[in-house]
mmCIF file of all heavy atoms in Angstrom:
data_model
loop_
_atom_site.group_PDB
_atom_site.id
_atom_site.type_symbol
_atom_site.label_atom_id
_atom_site.label_comp_id
_atom_site.label_asym_id
_atom_site.label_seq_id
_atom_site.Cartn_x
_atom_site.Cartn_y
_atom_site.Cartn_z
ATOM 1 N N ILE A 314 10.471 -48.455 2.569
ATOM 2 C CA ILE A 314 9.540 -49.003 3.466
ATOM 3 C C ILE A 314 9.705 -48.367 4.831
ATOM 4 O O ILE A 314 10.851 -48.178 5.238
ATOM 5 C CB ILE A 314 9.839 -50.552 3.627
ATOM 6 C CG1 ILE A 314 9.923 -51.289 2.260
ATOM 7 C CG2 ILE A 314 8.862 -51.243 4.620
ATOM 8 C CD1 ILE A 314 10.253 -52.784 2.459
ATOM 9 N N PRO A 315 8.659 -47.826 5.403
ATOM 10 C CA PRO A 315 8.624 -47.133 6.683
ATOM 11 C C PRO A 315 8.815 -48.112 7.809
ATOM 12 O O PRO A 315 8.615 -49.330 7.559
ATOM 13 C CB PRO A 315 7.373 -46.465 6.805
ATOM 14 C CG PRO A 315 6.444 -47.303 5.988
ATOM 15 C CD PRO A 315 7.262 -47.846 4.929
ATOM 16 N N ARG A 316 9.102 -47.692 9.058
ATOM 17 C CA ARG A 316 9.279 -48.581 10.136
ATOM 18 C C ARG A 316 7.919 -49.102 10.616
ATOM 19 O O ARG A 316 7.960 -50.138 11.388
ATOM 20 C CB ARG A 316 9.990 -47.983 11.315
ATOM 21 C CG ARG A 316 9.364 -46.719 11.922
ATOM 22 C CD ARG A 316 10.117 -46.269 13.111
ATOM 23 N NE ARG A 316 9.723 -45.101 13.633
ATOM 24 C CZ ARG A 316 10.310 -43.871 13.490
ATOM 25 N NH1 ARG A 316 11.404 -43.775 12.744
ATOM 26 N NH2 ARG A 316 9.794 -42.798 13.996
ATOM 27 N N GLU A 317 6.783 -48.546 10.246
ATOM 28 C CA GLU A 317 5.550 -49.024 10.755
ATOM 29 C C GLU A 317 4.556 -48.943 9.541
ATOM 30 O O GLU A 317 4.441 -48.058 8.887
ATOM 31 C CB GLU A 317 5.010 -48.147 11.918
ATOM 32 C CG GLU A 317 3.690 -48.750 12.498
ATOM 33 C CD GLU A 317 3.321 -47.838 13.791
ATOM 34 O OE1 GLU A 317 3.759 -46.782 13.946
ATOM 35 O OE2 GLU A 317 2.521 -48.478 14.567
ATOM 36 N N ILE A 318 3.731 -50.054 9.447
ATOM 37 C CA ILE A 318 2.748 -50.081 8.389
ATOM 38 C C ILE A 318 1.471 -50.458 9.082
ATOM 39 O O ILE A 318 1.340 -51.511 9.631
ATOM 40 C CB ILE A 318 3.067 -51.122 7.315
ATOM 41 C CG1 ILE A 318 4.411 -50.733 6.667
ATOM 42 C CG2 ILE A 318 1.998 -51.168 6.222
ATOM 43 C CD1 ILE A 318 4.882 -51.915 5.623
ATOM 44 N N LEU A 319 0.440 -49.531 9.002
ATOM 45 C CA LEU A 319 -0.815 -49.858 9.597
ATOM 46 C C LEU A 319 -1.842 -50.256 8.460
ATOM 47 O O LEU A 319 -1.937 -49.534 7.405
ATOM 48 C CB LEU A 319 -1.444 -48.544 10.202
ATOM 49 C CG LEU A 319 -0.514 -47.858 11.199
ATOM 50 C CD1 LEU A 319 -1.170 -46.673 11.836
ATOM 51 C CD2 LEU A 319 -0.236 -48.854 12.408
ATOM 52 N N VAL A 320 -2.505 -51.400 8.676
ATOM 53 C CA VAL A 320 -3.302 -51.975 7.583
ATOM 54 C C VAL A 320 -4.801 -52.099 8.211
ATOM 55 O O VAL A 320 -4.970 -52.194 9.432
ATOM 56 C CB VAL A 320 -2.745 -53.280 7.051
ATOM 57 C CG1 VAL A 320 -1.406 -53.052 6.219
ATOM 58 C CG2 VAL A 320 -2.589 -54.279 8.169
ATOM 59 N N ALA A 321 -5.693 -52.366 7.231
ATOM 60 C CA ALA A 321 -7.102 -52.529 7.740
ATOM 61 C C ALA A 321 -7.292 -53.955 8.101
ATOM 62 O O ALA A 321 -8.353 -54.251 8.861
ATOM 63 C CB ALA A 321 -7.973 -52.179 6.535
ATOM 64 N N ALA A 322 -6.564 -54.862 7.468
ATOM 65 C CA ALA A 322 -6.683 -56.337 7.797
ATOM 66 C C ALA A 322 -5.360 -57.018 7.688
ATOM 67 O O ALA A 322 -4.627 -56.688 6.690
ATOM 68 C CB ALA A 322 -7.708 -57.019 6.887
ATOM 69 N N LEU A 323 -5.060 -57.934 8.580
ATOM 70 C CA LEU A 323 -3.711 -58.577 8.501
ATOM 71 C C LEU A 323 -3.741 -59.639 7.408
ATOM 72 O O LEU A 323 -4.684 -60.334 7.163
ATOM 73 C CB LEU A 323 -3.392 -59.305 9.773
ATOM 74 C CG LEU A 323 -3.055 -58.258 10.971
ATOM 75 C CD1 LEU A 323 -2.877 -59.091 12.264
ATOM 76 C CD2 LEU A 323 -1.802 -57.416 10.687
ATOM 77 N N PRO A 324 -2.573 -59.709 6.726
ATOM 78 C CA PRO A 324 -2.479 -60.782 5.702
ATOM 79 C C PRO A 324 -2.390 -62.267 6.297
ATOM 80 O O PRO A 324 -2.172 -62.325 7.594
ATOM 81 C CB PRO A 324 -1.157 -60.408 4.894
ATOM 82 C CG PRO A 324 -0.447 -59.576 5.889
ATOM 83 C CD PRO A 324 -1.428 -58.910 6.669
ATOM 84 N N PRO A 325 -2.712 -63.328 5.593
ATOM 85 C CA PRO A 325 -2.684 -64.606 6.139
ATOM 86 C C PRO A 325 -1.304 -64.966 6.746
ATOM 87 O O PRO A 325 -1.346 -65.504 7.833
ATOM 88 C CB PRO A 325 -3.028 -65.484 4.930
ATOM 89 C CG PRO A 325 -3.727 -64.620 3.910
ATOM 90 C CD PRO A 325 -3.051 -63.298 4.147
ATOM 91 N N ASP A 326 -0.275 -64.705 5.996
ATOM 92 C CA ASP A 326 1.116 -65.059 6.491
ATOM 93 C C ASP A 326 1.799 -63.766 7.017
ATOM 94 O O ASP A 326 2.828 -63.310 6.480
ATOM 95 C CB ASP A 326 1.908 -65.737 5.448
ATOM 96 C CG ASP A 326 1.316 -67.025 4.815
ATOM 97 O OD1 ASP A 326 0.662 -67.709 5.764
ATOM 98 O OD2 ASP A 326 1.338 -67.283 3.660
ATOM 99 N N VAL A 327 1.313 -63.203 8.089
ATOM 100 C CA VAL A 327 1.721 -61.953 8.647
ATOM 101 C C VAL A 327 3.232 -62.107 9.113
ATOM 102 O O VAL A 327 3.896 -61.113 8.864
ATOM 103 C CB VAL A 327 0.794 -61.449 9.740
ATOM 104 C CG1 VAL A 327 0.692 -62.337 10.898
ATOM 105 C CG2 VAL A 327 1.183 -59.996 10.179
ATOM 106 N N GLU A 328 3.544 -63.166 9.679
ATOM 107 C CA GLU A 328 5.002 -63.305 10.255
ATOM 108 C C GLU A 328 5.928 -63.358 9.016
ATOM 109 O O GLU A 328 6.964 -62.676 9.124
ATOM 110 C CB GLU A 328 5.084 -64.493 11.202
ATOM 111 C CG GLU A 328 4.233 -64.559 12.424
ATOM 112 C CD GLU A 328 2.774 -64.957 12.193
ATOM 113 O OE1 GLU A 328 2.498 -65.411 11.038
ATOM 114 O OE2 GLU A 328 2.084 -64.930 13.152
ATOM 115 N N ALA A 329 5.573 -64.108 8.071
ATOM 116 C CA ALA A 329 6.524 -64.277 7.000
ATOM 117 C C ALA A 329 6.581 -62.986 6.163
ATOM 118 O O ALA A 329 7.735 -62.524 5.765
ATOM 119 C CB ALA A 329 6.060 -65.353 5.987
ATOM 120 N N LEU A 330 5.554 -62.225 6.044
ATOM 121 C CA LEU A 330 5.490 -60.958 5.227
ATOM 122 C C LEU A 330 6.343 -59.878 6.083
ATOM 123 O O LEU A 330 7.013 -59.133 5.463
ATOM 124 C CB LEU A 330 4.081 -60.561 5.050
ATOM 125 C CG LEU A 330 3.843 -59.319 4.071
ATOM 126 C CD1 LEU A 330 4.539 -59.553 2.695
ATOM 127 C CD2 LEU A 330 2.495 -59.010 3.934
ATOM 128 N N THR A 331 6.129 -59.909 7.365
ATOM 129 C CA THR A 331 6.835 -58.901 8.301
ATOM 130 C C THR A 331 8.412 -59.177 8.103
ATOM 131 O O THR A 331 9.217 -58.256 8.078
ATOM 132 C CB THR A 331 6.428 -58.998 9.704
ATOM 133 O OG1 THR A 331 4.970 -58.666 9.778
ATOM 134 C CG2 THR A 331 7.161 -58.001 10.565
ATOM 135 N N GLU A 332 8.751 -60.462 8.130
ATOM 136 C CA GLU A 332 10.149 -60.803 7.979
ATOM 137 C C GLU A 332 10.747 -60.440 6.616
ATOM 138 O O GLU A 332 11.907 -59.730 6.575
ATOM 139 C CB GLU A 332 10.347 -62.337 8.209
ATOM 140 C CG GLU A 332 11.802 -62.684 8.128
ATOM 141 C CD GLU A 332 11.963 -64.263 8.415
ATOM 142 O OE1 GLU A 332 10.921 -64.928 8.848
ATOM 143 O OE2 GLU A 332 12.919 -64.801 8.192
ATOM 144 N N LEU A 333 9.933 -60.618 5.656
ATOM 145 C CA LEU A 333 10.440 -60.232 4.331
ATOM 146 C C LEU A 333 10.596 -58.646 4.223
ATOM 147 O O LEU A 333 11.621 -58.163 3.668
ATOM 148 C CB LEU A 333 9.418 -60.701 3.249
ATOM 149 C CG LEU A 333 9.672 -60.197 1.787
ATOM 150 C CD1 LEU A 333 11.037 -60.764 1.285
ATOM 151 C CD2 LEU A 333 8.595 -60.745 0.878
ATOM 152 N N LEU A 334 9.464 -57.829 4.726
ATOM 153 C CA LEU A 334 9.703 -56.444 4.611
ATOM 154 C C LEU A 334 10.882 -55.921 5.441
ATOM 155 O O LEU A 334 11.483 -55.037 5.200
ATOM 156 C CB LEU A 334 8.386 -55.867 5.160
ATOM 157 C CG LEU A 334 7.124 -56.017 4.131
ATOM 158 C CD1 LEU A 334 5.879 -55.481 4.829
ATOM 159 C CD2 LEU A 334 7.306 -55.508 2.790
ATOM 160 N N SER A 335 11.031 -56.569 6.671
ATOM 161 C CA SER A 335 12.275 -56.109 7.504
ATOM 162 C C SER A 335 13.569 -56.382 6.865
ATOM 163 O O SER A 335 14.416 -55.669 6.847
ATOM 164 C CB SER A 335 12.090 -56.889 8.840
ATOM 165 O OG SER A 335 10.967 -56.664 9.591
ATOM 166 N N GLU A 336 13.635 -57.578 6.098
ATOM 167 C CA GLU A 336 14.895 -57.877 5.292
ATOM 168 C C GLU A 336 15.130 -56.807 4.293
ATOM 169 O O GLU A 336 16.248 -56.303 3.949
ATOM 170 C CB GLU A 336 14.727 -59.262 4.688
ATOM 171 C CG GLU A 336 14.964 -60.347 5.709
ATOM 172 C CD GLU A 336 14.787 -61.782 4.949
ATOM 173 O OE1 GLU A 336 14.741 -61.655 3.706
ATOM 174 O OE2 GLU A 336 14.950 -62.767 5.660
ATOM 175 N N GLN A 337 14.062 -56.397 3.451
ATOM 176 C CA GLN A 337 14.113 -55.424 2.525
ATOM 177 C C GLN A 337 14.492 -54.070 3.110
ATOM 178 O O GLN A 337 15.265 -53.253 2.532
ATOM 179 C CB GLN A 337 12.983 -55.287 1.645
ATOM 180 C CG GLN A 337 12.624 -56.556 0.803
ATOM 181 C CD GLN A 337 11.374 -56.441 0.046
ATOM 182 O OE1 GLN A 337 10.466 -55.712 0.478
ATOM 183 N NE2 GLN A 337 11.197 -57.218 -1.073
ATOM 184 N N ARG A 338 13.936 -53.679 4.199
ATOM 185 C CA ARG A 338 14.294 -52.457 4.897
ATOM 186 C C ARG A 338 15.574 -52.267 5.510
ATOM 187 O O ARG A 338 16.218 -51.291 5.569
ATOM 188 C CB ARG A 338 13.130 -52.007 5.809
ATOM 189 C CG ARG A 338 13.313 -50.638 6.451
ATOM 190 C CD ARG A 338 12.126 -50.336 7.316
ATOM 191 N NE ARG A 338 12.277 -48.999 7.842
ATOM 192 C CZ ARG A 338 12.809 -48.691 9.068
ATOM 193 N NH1 ARG A 338 13.011 -49.734 9.871
ATOM 194 N NH2 ARG A 338 12.855 -47.446 9.475
ATOM 195 N N GLY A 339 16.092 -53.535 5.973
ATOM 196 C CA GLY A 339 17.287 -53.513 6.706
ATOM 197 C C GLY A 339 17.102 -53.213 8.178
ATOM 198 O O GLY A 339 18.087 -52.947 8.875
ATOM 199 N N ALA A 340 15.864 -53.178 8.573
ATOM 200 C CA ALA A 340 15.515 -52.829 9.953
ATOM 201 C C ALA A 340 14.139 -53.365 10.298
ATOM 202 O O ALA A 340 13.407 -53.792 9.405
ATOM 203 C CB ALA A 340 15.597 -51.339 10.277
ATOM 204 N N ARG A 341 13.703 -53.483 11.573
ATOM 205 C CA ARG A 341 12.451 -53.989 11.944
ATOM 206 C C ARG A 341 11.324 -53.209 11.254
ATOM 207 O O ARG A 341 11.357 -51.920 11.335
ATOM 208 C CB ARG A 341 12.351 -53.986 13.347
ATOM 209 C CG ARG A 341 10.920 -54.462 13.891
ATOM 210 C CD ARG A 341 10.989 -54.651 15.415
ATOM 211 N NE ARG A 341 9.452 -54.882 15.886
ATOM 212 C CZ ARG A 341 9.029 -56.158 16.029
ATOM 213 N NH1 ARG A 341 9.779 -57.242 15.572
ATOM 214 N NH2 ARG A 341 7.807 -56.362 16.395
ATOM 215 N N VAL A 342 10.244 -53.919 10.873
ATOM 216 C CA VAL A 342 9.068 -53.289 10.320
ATOM 217 C C VAL A 342 7.982 -53.809 11.090
ATOM 218 O O VAL A 342 7.808 -55.051 11.327
ATOM 219 C CB VAL A 342 9.005 -53.692 8.828
ATOM 220 C CG1 VAL A 342 7.535 -53.040 8.375
ATOM 221 C CG2 VAL A 342 9.912 -53.010 8.023
ATOM 222 N N ASP A 343 7.040 -52.919 11.698
ATOM 223 C CA ASP A 343 5.853 -53.397 12.457
ATOM 224 C C ASP A 343 4.684 -53.365 11.437
ATOM 225 O O ASP A 343 4.335 -52.253 10.784
ATOM 226 C CB ASP A 343 5.599 -52.497 13.613
ATOM 227 C CG ASP A 343 6.661 -52.716 14.758
ATOM 228 O OD1 ASP A 343 7.189 -53.855 14.880
ATOM 229 O OD2 ASP A 343 7.066 -51.710 15.382
ATOM 230 N N LEU A 344 3.940 -54.448 11.382
ATOM 231 C CA LEU A 344 2.701 -54.568 10.477
ATOM 232 C C LEU A 344 1.628 -54.966 11.479
ATOM 233 O O LEU A 344 1.523 -56.030 12.009
ATOM 234 C CB LEU A 344 3.010 -55.580 9.491
ATOM 235 C CG LEU A 344 1.871 -55.798 8.515
ATOM 236 C CD1 LEU A 344 1.672 -54.626 7.613
ATOM 237 C CD2 LEU A 344 2.187 -57.087 7.583
ATOM 238 N N ARG A 345 0.676 -53.932 11.545
ATOM 239 C CA ARG A 345 -0.492 -54.231 12.558
ATOM 240 C C ARG A 345 -1.769 -53.437 12.043
ATOM 241 O O ARG A 345 -1.652 -52.536 11.291
ATOM 242 C CB ARG A 345 0.047 -53.885 13.922
ATOM 243 C CG ARG A 345 0.388 -52.403 14.180
ATOM 244 C CD ARG A 345 0.922 -52.206 15.484
ATOM 245 N NE ARG A 345 1.282 -50.828 15.758
ATOM 246 C CZ ARG A 345 0.306 -50.047 16.363
ATOM 247 N NH1 ARG A 345 -0.845 -50.388 16.666
ATOM 248 N NH2 ARG A 345 0.591 -48.671 16.595
ATOM 249 N N VAL A 346 -2.835 -53.823 12.824
ATOM 250 C CA VAL A 346 -4.042 -53.137 12.635
ATOM 251 C C VAL A 346 -4.275 -52.161 13.835
ATOM 252 O O VAL A 346 -4.240 -52.634 14.947
ATOM 253 C CB VAL A 346 -5.222 -54.182 12.565
ATOM 254 C CG1 VAL A 346 -6.510 -53.498 12.438
ATOM 255 C CG2 VAL A 346 -5.117 -55.125 11.346
ATOM 256 N N PRO A 347 -4.488 -50.946 13.725
ATOM 257 C CA PRO A 347 -4.729 -50.050 14.815
ATOM 258 C C PRO A 347 -6.023 -50.323 15.437
ATOM 259 O O PRO A 347 -7.037 -50.596 14.783
ATOM 260 C CB PRO A 347 -4.737 -48.636 14.207
ATOM 261 C CG PRO A 347 -4.952 -48.905 12.720
ATOM 262 C CD PRO A 347 -4.530 -50.180 12.480
ATOM 263 N N GLN A 348 -5.994 -50.286 16.861
ATOM 264 C CA GLN A 348 -7.103 -50.681 17.618
ATOM 265 C C GLN A 348 -7.877 -49.485 18.315
ATOM 266 O O GLN A 348 -9.039 -49.546 18.669
ATOM 267 C CB GLN A 348 -6.807 -51.750 18.652
ATOM 268 C CG GLN A 348 -6.294 -53.119 18.042
ATOM 269 C CD GLN A 348 -7.249 -53.806 17.155
ATOM 270 O OE1 GLN A 348 -8.392 -53.684 17.483
ATOM 271 N NE2 GLN A 348 -6.775 -54.439 16.132
ATOM 272 N N ARG A 349 -7.081 -48.448 18.625
ATOM 273 C CA ARG A 349 -7.548 -47.311 19.350
ATOM 274 C C ARG A 349 -6.727 -46.083 19.095
ATOM 275 O O ARG A 349 -5.736 -46.223 18.568
ATOM 276 C CB ARG A 349 -7.644 -47.644 20.845
ATOM 277 C CG ARG A 349 -6.251 -47.833 21.475
ATOM 278 C CD ARG A 349 -6.457 -48.340 22.916
ATOM 279 N NE ARG A 349 -7.075 -49.602 23.032
ATOM 280 C CZ ARG A 349 -6.434 -50.801 22.865
ATOM 281 N NH1 ARG A 349 -5.108 -50.731 22.650
ATOM 282 N NH2 ARG A 349 -6.995 -51.924 23.001
ATOM 283 N N GLY A 350 -7.273 -44.930 19.558
ATOM 284 C CA GLY A 350 -6.500 -43.785 19.596
ATOM 285 C C GLY A 350 -6.385 -43.019 18.260
ATOM 286 O O GLY A 350 -7.215 -43.226 17.360
ATOM 287 N N ASP A 351 -5.417 -42.156 18.073
ATOM 288 C CA ASP A 351 -5.157 -41.312 16.909
ATOM 289 C C ASP A 351 -5.047 -42.204 15.564
ATOM 290 O O ASP A 351 -5.487 -41.864 14.537
ATOM 291 C CB ASP A 351 -4.103 -40.398 17.063
ATOM 292 C CG ASP A 351 -4.421 -39.373 18.170
ATOM 293 O OD1 ASP A 351 -5.615 -39.091 18.355
ATOM 294 O OD2 ASP A 351 -3.410 -38.688 18.642
ATOM 295 N N LYS A 352 -4.226 -43.301 15.828
ATOM 296 C CA LYS A 352 -3.949 -44.127 14.606
ATOM 297 C C LYS A 352 -5.267 -44.917 14.109
ATOM 298 O O LYS A 352 -5.457 -45.021 12.905
ATOM 299 C CB LYS A 352 -2.962 -45.239 14.886
ATOM 300 C CG LYS A 352 -1.508 -44.529 15.208
ATOM 301 C CD LYS A 352 -0.525 -45.527 15.482
ATOM 302 C CE LYS A 352 0.929 -44.840 15.776
ATOM 303 N NZ LYS A 352 1.882 -45.880 16.029
ATOM 304 N N LYS A 353 -6.089 -45.215 14.988
ATOM 305 C CA LYS A 353 -7.410 -45.801 14.693
ATOM 306 C C LYS A 353 -8.228 -44.802 13.925
ATOM 307 O O LYS A 353 -8.898 -45.080 12.907
ATOM 308 C CB LYS A 353 -8.102 -46.261 15.915
ATOM 309 C CG LYS A 353 -9.597 -46.817 15.656
ATOM 310 C CD LYS A 353 -9.630 -48.036 14.811
ATOM 311 C CE LYS A 353 -11.006 -48.535 14.682
ATOM 312 N NZ LYS A 353 -11.098 -49.849 13.879
ATOM 313 N N SER A 354 -8.266 -43.484 14.426
ATOM 314 C CA SER A 354 -9.073 -42.406 13.771
ATOM 315 C C SER A 354 -8.457 -42.173 12.307
ATOM 316 O O SER A 354 -9.245 -41.970 11.419
ATOM 317 C CB SER A 354 -9.036 -41.195 14.624
ATOM 318 O OG SER A 354 -9.510 -41.464 15.972
ATOM 319 N N LEU A 355 -7.206 -42.198 12.270
ATOM 320 C CA LEU A 355 -6.599 -41.925 10.932
ATOM 321 C C LEU A 355 -6.871 -43.026 9.990
ATOM 322 O O LEU A 355 -7.179 -42.750 8.786
ATOM 323 C CB LEU A 355 -4.980 -41.827 11.088
ATOM 324 C CG LEU A 355 -4.333 -41.517 9.754
ATOM 325 C CD1 LEU A 355 -4.913 -40.168 9.119
ATOM 326 C CD2 LEU A 355 -2.737 -41.348 9.969
ATOM 327 N N MET A 356 -6.850 -44.265 10.482
ATOM 328 C CA MET A 356 -7.360 -45.374 9.675
ATOM 329 C C MET A 356 -8.739 -45.269 9.148
ATOM 330 O O MET A 356 -9.079 -45.547 7.934
ATOM 331 C CB MET A 356 -7.238 -46.706 10.369
ATOM 332 C CG MET A 356 -7.585 -47.986 9.694
ATOM 333 S SD MET A 356 -6.689 -48.254 8.193
ATOM 334 C CE MET A 356 -5.164 -48.888 8.740
ATOM 335 N N GLU A 357 -9.646 -44.759 9.995
ATOM 336 C CA GLU A 357 -10.955 -44.555 9.543
ATOM 337 C C GLU A 357 -11.105 -43.421 8.484
ATOM 338 O O GLU A 357 -11.858 -43.604 7.572
ATOM 339 C CB GLU A 357 -11.852 -44.164 10.815
ATOM 340 C CG GLU A 357 -12.089 -45.274 11.796
ATOM 341 C CD GLU A 357 -12.707 -44.832 13.028
ATOM 342 O OE1 GLU A 357 -12.899 -43.537 13.268
ATOM 343 O OE2 GLU A 357 -13.049 -45.657 13.937
ATOM 344 N N THR A 358 -10.236 -42.427 8.623
ATOM 345 C CA THR A 358 -10.218 -41.442 7.526
ATOM 346 C C THR A 358 -9.822 -41.979 6.278
ATOM 347 O O THR A 358 -10.360 -41.716 5.194
ATOM 348 C CB THR A 358 -9.335 -40.279 7.971
ATOM 349 O OG1 THR A 358 -9.774 -39.690 9.077
ATOM 350 C CG2 THR A 358 -9.229 -39.155 6.949
ATOM 351 N N VAL A 359 -8.653 -42.906 6.298
ATOM 352 C CA VAL A 359 -8.218 -43.535 4.977
ATOM 353 C C VAL A 359 -9.323 -44.316 4.441
ATOM 354 O O VAL A 359 -9.432 -44.408 3.203
ATOM 355 C CB VAL A 359 -6.974 -44.236 5.239
ATOM 356 C CG1 VAL A 359 -6.364 -44.827 4.011
ATOM 357 C CG2 VAL A 359 -5.873 -43.301 5.999
ATOM 358 N N GLU A 360 -10.066 -45.054 5.290
ATOM 359 C CA GLU A 360 -11.073 -45.961 4.794
ATOM 360 C C GLU A 360 -12.228 -45.212 4.058
ATOM 361 O O GLU A 360 -12.714 -45.596 3.040
ATOM 362 C CB GLU A 360 -11.681 -46.889 6.000
ATOM 363 C CG GLU A 360 -10.802 -47.904 6.505
ATOM 364 C CD GLU A 360 -11.331 -48.577 7.735
ATOM 365 O OE1 GLU A 360 -12.364 -48.103 8.294
ATOM 366 O OE2 GLU A 360 -10.814 -49.647 8.086
ATOM 367 N N ARG A 361 -12.514 -44.048 4.597
ATOM 368 C CA ARG A 361 -13.567 -43.219 3.968
ATOM 369 C C ARG A 361 -13.034 -42.732 2.594
ATOM 370 O O ARG A 361 -13.755 -42.735 1.604
ATOM 371 C CB ARG A 361 -13.870 -42.013 4.845
ATOM 372 C CG ARG A 361 -14.672 -42.273 6.069
ATOM 373 C CD ARG A 361 -15.329 -40.934 6.640
ATOM 374 N NE ARG A 361 -14.303 -40.146 7.112
ATOM 375 C CZ ARG A 361 -13.833 -40.121 8.308
ATOM 376 N NH1 ARG A 361 -14.233 -41.045 9.180
ATOM 377 N NH2 ARG A 361 -12.842 -39.263 8.666
ATOM 378 N N ASN A 362 -11.645 -42.444 2.502
ATOM 379 C CA ASN A 362 -11.180 -42.073 1.262
ATOM 380 C C ASN A 362 -11.176 -43.239 0.194
ATOM 381 O O ASN A 362 -11.431 -43.028 -0.970
ATOM 382 C CB ASN A 362 -9.664 -41.613 1.373
ATOM 383 C CG ASN A 362 -9.660 -40.122 1.827
ATOM 384 O OD1 ASN A 362 -9.503 -39.138 1.063
ATOM 385 N ND2 ASN A 362 -9.712 -39.838 3.126
#
Side-chain angles (χ1 to χ4, degrees):
I314 304 174
R316 60 172 174 257
E317 185 177 20
I318 302 173
L319 305 178
V320 295
L323 289 175
D326 301 324
V327 61
E328 295 85 3
L330 187 57
T331 302
E332 184 178 345
L333 175 61
L334 294 174
S335 299
E336 286 181 5
Q337 291 179 336
R338 182 174 183 263
R341 176 180 173 81
V342 175
D343 290 327
L344 181 64
R345 62 189 184 87
V346 178
Q348 301 295 329
R349 62 184 66 84
D351 293 338
K352 292 180 179 179
K353 173 68 173 176
S354 300
L355 182 58
M356 175 62 73
E357 292 171 353
T358 300
V359 183
E360 287 176 347
R361 287 196 297 271
N362 278 265

